[in-house]
């Protein structure tokens, strides 16, 4: 005698996949979220230490974004965030990791990339944003920081360096790129 149970688990698997995606991505922009990006960064730091590979970070913050929300409303602000993400995606490689760091701040992990190469990329992204007119708001700009990982550096130290560069760009007039030349 043979007895069996047949259960369709496709709905459960679909739900698991949706939960996995929610745990990794920013709901608004569809790119990685801060939590997942931090996990990726920790893994890359270990890989870099083991294999002596290089990587760089580019962090940027949309200039005067509060004015966009105050002038046009949060719905338009959300559209600006989506448009900026879409534009930046045209400049980065499929192997790079792009995340929303918080609010209007973003970060990109560039594998096997020197700070010089990352600076060139950041400048091209800055120019792209500056020269693109977005629906309803016109042109937006961003302030960029670029830094490369240094052997045995902590994640907090690396993130602080690149974040400080973004704020240095903000203090120096915005719409510019600041590079840490370590």
């Amino acid at each position: 005698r043979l007895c069996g149970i047949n259960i369709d688990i496709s709905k459960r698997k679909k739900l698991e996949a949706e939960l996995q995606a929610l745990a990794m991505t920013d709901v608004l922009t569809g790119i990685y979220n801060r939590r997942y990006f931090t996990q990726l960064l920790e893994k890359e730091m270990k890989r870099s230490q083991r294999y002596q590979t290089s990587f760089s970070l580019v962090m940027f913050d949309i200039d005067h974004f509060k004015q966009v929300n105050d002038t046009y409303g949060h719905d338009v602000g959300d559209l600006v965030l989506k448009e900026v993400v879409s534009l930046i995606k045209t400049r980065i490689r499929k192997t790079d990791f792009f995340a929303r760091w918080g609010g209007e701040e973003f970060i990109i992990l560039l594998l096997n990339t020197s700070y010089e190469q990352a600076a060139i990329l950041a400048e091209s992204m800055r120019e792209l944003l500056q020269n693109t007119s977005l629906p309803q708001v016109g042109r937006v700009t961003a302030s960029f920081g670029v830094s490369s990982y240094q052997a045995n550096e902590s994640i907090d130290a690396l993130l602080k360096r690149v974040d400080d560069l973004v704020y240095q760009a903000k203090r120096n007039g915005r719409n510019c790129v600041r590079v840490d030349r370590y």
Side-chain angles (χ1 to χ4, degrees):
R1 187 169 220 211
L2 184 62
C3 183
I5 298 174
N6 188 11
I7 299 173
D8 183 5
I9 61 168
S10 59
K11 287 181 184 176
R12 183 177 183 169
K13 288 293 183 187
K14 182 180 177 191
L15 180 61
E16 286 176 9
E18 289 172 3
L19 289 173
Q20 174 88 15
L22 285 172
M24 294 171 40
T25 57
D26 174 64
V27 176
L28 178 66
T29 61
I31 59 176
Y32 292 124
N33 62 30
R34 182 178 184 146
R35 189 180 126 274
Y36 186 69
F37 182 87
T38 303
Q39 292 173 355
L40 291 169
L41 182 56
E42 287 172 345
K43 286 180 186 176
E44 191 54 37
M45 290 171 79
K46 289 175 185 171
R47 185 182 351 266
S48 177
Q49 289 170 4
R50 182 172 184 180
Y51 298 109
Q52 288 78 47
T53 59
S54 63
F55 70 86
S56 295
L57 293 179
V58 172
M59 182 180 276
F60 68 95
D61 186 270
I62 300 172
D63 297 329
H64 305 294
F65 188 73
K66 184 180 182 320
Q67 286 180 339
V68 171
N69 279 334
D70 291 348
T71 304
Y72 302 101
H74 290 278
D75 289 346
V76 173
D78 288 350
L79 290 174
V80 168
L81 293 174
K82 290 178 190 177
E83 287 292 323
V84 166
V85 165
S86 181
L87 286 168
I88 297 300
K89 283 174 131 181
T90 67
R91 287 291 199 265
I92 62 174
R93 304 168 296 193
K94 298 260 187 234
T95 57
D96 298 328
F97 299 102
F98 186 22
R100 186 170 178 196
W101 195 243
E104 68 277 8
E105 195 169 27
F106 299 88
I107 191 165
I108 307 166
L109 170 58
L110 304 165
L111 304 176
N112 300 312
T113 304
S114 68
Y115 76 85
E116 296 98 342
Q117 294 166 319
I120 291 167
L121 174 64
E123 181 59 28
S124 79
M125 291 186 290
R126 187 199 64 74
E127 289 175 359
L128 176 65
L129 290 177
Q130 173 187 287
N131 296 325
T132 302
S133 183
L134 300 179
Q136 298 183 15
V137 298
R139 300 185 197 288
V140 297
T141 61
S143 299
F144 289 80
V146 177
S147 192
S148 290
Y149 173 66
Q150 303 302 306
N152 300 314
E153 180 176 35
S154 73
I155 190 169
D156 291 335
L158 174 60
L159 291 169
K160 181 174 181 351
R161 275 196 301 120
V162 75
D163 191 51
D164 286 348
L165 290 163
V166 171
Y167 283 98
Q168 189 180 106
K170 294 268 186 202
R171 285 190 305 272
N172 289 313
R174 303 179 195 274
N175 189 27
C176 61
V177 176
R178 290 294 174 254
V179 180
D180 190 2
R181 291 174 168 48
Y182 272 95

